[in-house]
Amino acid sequence: MCGIVGYIGESKPISFLVETLERLEYRGYDSCGVAYRPKNSLRIILKKRRGKIEGLKKELLSHQFDIGIAHTRWATHGIPNRINAHPHFDCQRHIFVVHNGIVENYKELKKFLLKRGHKFRSQTDTEIIPHLWEEYIKRRKNPLEALFEVVNLLEGSFAIVALVSSLDKIFVVRKDSPLSLGVLKEGFLVASDIPAISFSTKRVVNLADRQVGVISKSSWEVYDFHRRRRYPKVGKVEISSQEVEKGKFAHFMLKEIFEQPQILKSLYSLYTNREEVKFKELNLSKKYLRTLQRIFIFACGTAFHAGFVGKYLLEKYARVSVEIDVSSEARYRSLPIRKEDLVIAISQSGETADTLASVREAKSRGAKLLGICNVLGSTLTREVDTFIPTFAGPEIGVASTKAYTAQVFVLFLFTIYLAKAKGFLTSLQEREILKELRDVSRYQEKILKELDSLRRIAKKFSKFGCFLFLGRGINYPSALEGALKLKEISYIPAEGYPAGEMKHGPIALIDEYRAVVCIAPQDSLYEKMVSNICEIKARKGKILAILTRGDKEIVSLVEEKVFVPKLNNQDLSPLLVAIPLQSFAYFVAKNLGCEIDQPRNLAKSVTVE
Ligand code: F6R
């Protein structure tokens, strides 16, 4: 979602502010803006525009500035245009604010402010913040005192960075939306995510929820919403600049697809000793795991699909009953969660609003909470009882790829751990599974070496206006994920379905103008897939099949095929088929000239409901 940046320090060229903002581009946005004070001036300059930062850059003079804020907006209230773009300001143009999140009670606050004579220019919820602040400053409060009044009146989620034209300070606020402070040699840089800061400094303070910071050129102070002083520690960022650069790849998405084997190798070494799974930091006792009967999994989008694979694994190996739902539904369902249940929340960012809300709901019912998360220090990792990091490194492409396979891998390891604790898996069986899990990264490498054929196939299939993705069993979630990847970045309508459900509706779609991607590795449901493929072929549907190398039957029935290596344990196949599915979506989107890393309307981290 929106990205925010703030800087205060010794004077820097305005390009510094804009370049830091550019590092947040991947989050998705439709308009952008900056407010800054040129060196030796008291006047704040405001520049906003619809569209890309590139355009904003061209508008800016080569000013030096010493204090500034910047924003990329992803529209929620009001269409994407220059007026609705941030920063927003008060009636006197003294207070300038950029904001991530949603002020839920903005309508009633706006009514109150209109009665008090405030004039609004935009349709945004954000604009009430500078006006409300102005209102409290008018009531003879100093700006910080007034800000406390404001934040305690706002409902919803908000990360705010603001400047007041007469002061050498920036103000920051965090509630349910991430915000970090980078300590520079001279001055401070604030941003809504750490990779954007990591180019400039490795020394970072993660503001906690419900905190307010006042930052001057040489010092910073942090308070909670009750005005009590807090002393957060300065930590070290472990992200290297290489991790947040594309390097030799045309897109972050492609780079991240190629990173997957290495990530799985590292996870394997970290969480196993080849003989058994080791979760040293996991705070769930063996006694608790032994008696665990029910698991609820909550996640959104791709993380939900990873969780869905996890459901198949956990039910099969650990014999627990697993209920899974997308967080936006789970949070409002009357789920019978009890205190003896385990809730697993899966999230790349750890900041997804719906997932956090579903976790809070489960917490209120007393359930144990396990997070599977890629961002250490994120809200999710702070709110759960215990978590397993997926260590996939920063994921910049909006379409999730490496985070997905890392989540599935970790879920597989957790399944083995639980099944063993419950006595459903012997040490010998555990070793067998681990042996093949170790080889998965090598198999993925093999698939990546053969991507050229997929590039050609994608070209041919780019002409189809509608796709069906079919899978069975543990690859039904793979079908959902394959369809999601394609529609996200190529905008081609694509549906994922369990193949056995085809006759109950989707078969009506099939003719020679529709494409069907069939995930058909040689597993126990292979023969069923053969029948489905014959049915599609009989209706002239154009089939791309993902097959096990050496396949003899389906190979002759389909238009195009890609192969994945043969596995002994087919439950590992989602980790292999993910690579051709992601790459296929990538090549189709590339062929169609789509903006792969920043697809329209999408945000990397969905911090609002
Ligand atoms: C799809 C995608 C989204 C996310 C979803 C959850 O490619 O990226 O569907 O998976 O928004 O995000 P996290 O995992 O950060 O909770």
Side-chain angles (χ1 to χ4, degrees):
M1 305 239 99
C2 319
I4 29 183
V5 177
Y7 170 77
I8 181 159
E10 289 313 308
S11 73
K12 280 202 184 280
I14 189 71
S15 56
F16 172 75
L17 194 61
V18 180
E19 276 157 22
T20 310
L21 192 63
E22 271 175 331
R23 298 199 176 103
L24 295 169
E25 273 194 307
Y26 76 95
R27 296 168 69 102
Y29 69 105
D30 44 54
S31 49
C32 51
V34 297
Y36 64 99
R37 194 178 63 190
K39 199 179 169 203
N40 304 327
S41 163
L42 281 180
R43 207 165 64 87
I44 301 291
I45 296 194
L46 179 71
K47 296 274 181 203
K48 312 204 274 186
R49 74 181 324 270
R50 186 187 169 163
K52 295 287 168 192
I53 297 173
E54 187 62 33
L56 187 69
K57 236 178 178 175
K58 285 186 193 143
E59 265 186 63
L60 289 168
L61 301 170
S62 52
H63 274 155
Q64 291 282 119
F65 80 110
D66 54 10
I67 178 164
I69 58 178
H71 191 260
T72 47
R73 174 172 186 256
W74 187 86
T76 55
H77 297 70
I79 56 164
N81 64 13
R82 203 185 68 79
I83 296 192
N84 288 332
H86 301 207
H88 289 288
F89 46 89
D90 62 332
C91 295
Q92 304 295 321
R93 285 182 81 110
H94 282 331
I95 301 168
F96 292 80
V97 169
V98 290
H99 161 226
N100 272 5
I102 289 183
V103 178
E104 284 166 3
N105 57 340
Y106 81 101
K107 279 194 185 139
E108 60 187 87
L109 292 171
K110 194 166 176 176
K111 228 188 246 168
F112 158 76
L113 289 163
L114 284 169
K115 272 198 201 138
R116 307 277 308 163
H118 289 262
K119 297 267 180 300
F120 288 83
R121 299 158 184 96
S122 76
Q123 299 158 306
T124 63
D125 54 331
T126 302
E127 200 184 353
I128 63 115
I129 300 171
H131 287 279
L132 199 57
W133 197 354
E134 179 182 36
E135 187 59 33
Y136 279 95
I137 291 178
K138 265 199 243 156
R139 296 179 186 191
R140 287 202 215 97
K141 299 250 185 218
N142 73 40
L144 179 59
E145 218 9 74
L147 183 58
F148 282 127
E149 300 282 350
V150 172
V151 296
N152 281 302
L153 278 173
L154 301 182
E155 285 167 17
S157 59
F158 41 92
I160 299 170
V161 183
L163 55 88
V164 177
S165 61
S166 54
L167 298 177
D168 271 342
K169 285 181 177 142
I170 54 177
F171 294 84
V172 298
V173 182
R174 173 179 180 163
K175 183 185 169 254
D176 294 340
S177 192
L179 196 63
S180 302
L181 169 72
V183 183
L184 309 178
K185 269 202 194 114
E186 287 165 335
F188 297 91
L189 181 64
V190 190
S192 42
D193 77 23
I194 293 177
I197 297 178
S198 68
F199 276 81
S200 308
T201 177
K202 300 288 177 229
R203 299 181 63 218
V204 169
V205 180
N206 271 322
L207 288 187
D209 228 25
R210 299 180 161 269
Q211 286 192 334
V212 172
V214 189
I215 304 157
S216 66
K217 283 185 181 170
S218 54
S219 64
W220 52 285
E221 288 167 10
V222 173
Y223 300 86
D224 63 20
F225 279 15
H226 301 294
R227 301 165 170 78
R228 289 182 297 229
R229 184 84 192 263
R230 295 284 172 217
Y231 298 91
K233 285 201 188 88
V234 179
K236 196 159 173 274
V237 183
E238 302 296 348
I239 300 169
S240 72
S241 39
Q242 249 174 9
E243 281 179 289
V244 278
E245 275 169 337
K246 280 194 289 238
K248 62 178 186 192
F249 293 93
H251 295 95
F252 278 109
M253 182 176 177
L254 191 61
K255 175 179 181 243
E256 287 159 6
I257 289 173
F258 272 82
E259 279 171 2
Q260 293 175 98
Q262 190 50 49
I263 293 164
L264 299 199
K265 254 182 230 164
S266 311
L267 287 173
Y268 186 87
S269 318
L270 186 69
Y271 292 137
T272 83
N273 63 5
R274 293 176 174 227
E275 305 272 304
E276 50 177 352
V277 177
K278 295 268 178 211
F279 285 125
K280 291 190 196 113
E281 316 269 319
L282 188 70
N283 189 11
L284 295 173
S285 71
K286 287 272 160 77
K287 184 167 166 244
Y288 169 80
L289 294 177
R290 233 186 340 265
T291 54
L292 180 64
Q293 291 300 319
R294 239 168 28 149
I295 294 180
F296 290 84
I297 301 180
F298 302 145
C300 299
T302 291
F304 168 75
H305 298 152
F308 207 170
V309 176
K311 173 182 162 75
Y312 279 86
L313 295 172
L314 286 159
E315 286 177 344
K316 175 170 172 179
Y317 292 90
R319 302 184 207 173
V320 279
S321 115
V322 181
E323 165 101 32
I324 176 162
D325 205 349
V326 288
S327 313
S328 52
E329 285 299 315
R331 64 183 288 189
Y332 296 117
R333 273 176 70 189
S334 312
L335 283 167
I337 302 175
R338 292 189 297 250
K339 70 174 183 337
E340 51 279 14
D341 298 330
L342 176 68
V343 167
I344 305 181
I346 308 169
S347 173
Q348 187 284 127
S349 61
E351 303 294 348
T352 301
D354 283 321
T355 300
L356 293 173
S358 64
V359 160
R360 287 170 194 146
E361 181 57 33
K363 193 179 217 162
S364 73
R365 317 260 191 100
K368 264 249 182 312
L369 306 173
L370 164 65
I372 293 182
C373 188
N374 198 35
V375 180
L376 298 178
S378 60
T379 308
L380 181 67
T381 60
R382 284 187 275 112
E383 295 205 6
V384 289
D385 298 309
T386 184
F387 66 94
I388 307 176
T390 45
F391 291 118
E395 193 178 58
I396 310 286
V398 163
S400 187
T401 51
K402 60 178 182 172
Y404 171 72
T405 43
Q407 286 158 352
V408 171
F409 198 82
V410 160
L411 278 160
F412 213 129
L413 294 177
F414 178 70
T415 301
I416 298 171
Y417 191 73
L418 181 61
K420 183 90 174 300
K422 285 180 153 306
F424 295 135
L425 207 64
T426 63
S427 297
L428 186 64
Q429 288 166 322
E430 181 176 18
R431 273 204 301 278
E432 299 254 292
I433 301 175
L434 286 185
K435 197 158 156 254
E436 201 163 29
L437 256 181
R438 194 191 56 202
D439 292 335
V440 162
S441 50
R442 201 161 42 80
Y443 296 154
Q444 285 189 335
E445 273 162 356
K446 247 190 190 148
I447 303 170
L448 286 168
K449 278 195 187 124
E450 295 167 6
L451 279 193
D452 269 350
S453 66
L454 201 54
R455 202 186 306 256
R456 177 192 55 77
I457 297 169
K459 197 163 182 193
K460 181 166 156 193
F461 273 68
S462 301
K463 64 171 193 262
F464 291 105
C466 167
F467 276 79
L468 197 59
F469 284 71
L470 300 177
R472 276 180 177 263
I474 202 158
N475 281 308
Y476 162 35
S478 304
L480 296 177
E481 178 57 9
L484 178 66
K485 283 291 89 79
L486 185 69
K487 71 183 133 201
E488 274 185 300
I489 59 169
S490 74
Y491 318 137
I492 300 176
E495 272 207 81
Y497 248 86
E501 194 59 15
M502 187 177 73
K503 289 199 211 55
H504 301 283
I507 199 165
L509 291 174
I510 295 170
D511 62 19
E512 67 264 48
Y513 306 109
R514 319 291 161 123
V516 187
V517 178
C518 295
I519 304 161
Q522 264 160 3
D523 57 15
S524 58
L525 296 169
Y526 177 80
E527 289 306 329
K528 310 266 176 209
M529 266 322 269
V530 174
S531 310
N532 291 130
I533 285 173
C534 291
E535 288 154 7
I536 301 165
K537 197 173 151 65
R539 286 158 185 84
K540 300 200 178 101
K542 296 290 176 285
I543 304 172
L544 161 61
I546 300 178
L547 302 172
T548 303
R549 182 162 301 286
D551 184 287
K552 296 258 173 354
E553 205 172 347
I554 297 182
V555 89
S556 58
L557 299 173
V558 297
E559 183 92 5
E560 291 289 355
K561 57 254 160 196
V562 283
F563 295 104
V564 296
K566 195 170 170 54
L567 289 162
N568 295 318
N569 182 346
Q570 281 300 335
D571 294 329
L572 305 181
S573 61
L575 291 164
L576 301 191
V577 303
I579 304 267
L581 290 170
Q582 296 163 351
S583 312
F584 178 69
Y586 174 82
F587 290 130
V588 170
K590 190 156 184 233
N591 209 47
L592 296 175
C594 300
E595 265 202 70
I596 293 175
D597 283 335
Q598 292 157 39
R600 70 179 180 211
N601 302 339
L602 291 180
K604 183 64 191 161
S605 164
V606 184
T607 49
V608 295
E609 185 174 358

